[in-house]
Amino acid sequence: MKKDIEIPIAKDVHVAVIREWNDEFLSKDWNAYLINNRKDAIEMAIVVSKGYDGDIKTSTMRHGLGTLGPKTFTKIEVLQEEVLALTNEFFVTFFAEGKLYEKKFLFQKNTISEKSLTTIPVIEKEGIFPQKP
């Protein structure tokens, strides 16, 4: 029965966008990170990302990130300046506690900017969390 189906809520796992210096290209880049702020590891983490605004769409990117230990993070991808004008979606799926979790993170168009920077926990750098719907 439907009442018997448990849908776990993904807590303490986040996507943040960080502005960082790139030594290779001698420029500041926007990088998306997956953050595990849980007290336990997450396994088989997969992130599907895309950008869109009406008829304009980016390619869908799929990232297999594996296992993230507790209170750790890993880089998902670099965001090109052109996609900052689009809504950027990150759909995260992972296993923890023997259950499958999923969560969608939306960065609305033009919200990734220097004026929106705040300190991101675990990474301890200036960045941006998606706005709450």
Side-chain angles (χ1 to χ4, degrees), residues 3-47:
K3 65 180 176 69
D4 297 325
I5 298 173
E6 177 190 351
I7 301 174
I9 297 171
K11 294 182 179 176
D12 299 324
V13 173
H14 311 281
V15 171
V17 177
I18 308 289
R19 183 81 161 162
E20 297 178 297
W21 180 255
N22 183 329
D23 287 330
E24 185 177 345
F25 294 107
L26 302 175
S27 65
K28 282 190 121 177
D29 294 334
W30 291 100
N31 296 303
Y33 282 88
L34 178 62
I35 303 168
N36 177 14
N37 200 16
R38 296 169 56 103
K39 295 177 182 168
D40 58 341
I42 63 173
E43 300 174 333
M44 295 177 52
I46 298 171
V47 178

Side-chain angles (χ1 to χ4, degrees), residues 13-15 34 42-49 60-68 74-77 89-96 100-105:
V13 173
H14 311 281
V15 171
L34 178 62
I42 63 173
E43 300 174 333
M44 295 177 52
I46 298 171
V47 178
V48 177
S49 64
T60 299
M61 305 290 285
R62 292 168 182 83
H63 308 275
L65 303 175
T67 300
L68 271 82
T74 189
K75 187 186 290 188
I76 301 169
E77 66 186 18
E89 176 182 298
F90 296 86
F91 191 77
V92 178
T93 306
F94 62 92
F95 282 96
L100 177 66
Y101 292 83
E102 60 185 28
K103 189 169 183 179
K104 185 186 330 184
F105 299 90

Side-chain angles (χ1 to χ4, degrees), residues 71-88:
K71 307 290 183 185
T72 60
F73 58 91
T74 189
K75 187 186 290 188
I76 301 169
E77 66 186 18
V78 175
L79 297 175
Q80 300 297 322
E81 292 289 331
E82 297 81 28
V83 302
L84 301 181
L86 306 174
T87 296
N88 288 278

Side-chain angles (χ1 to χ4, degrees), residues 10 21 30 38 43 45 50 58 67 98 112 117 124 126 130 132:
W21 180 255
W30 291 100
R38 296 169 56 103
E43 300 174 333
K50 61 183 176 182
T58 66
T67 300
I112 300 173
L117 293 175
E124 298 302 326
E126 293 291 305
K132 304 280 185 208

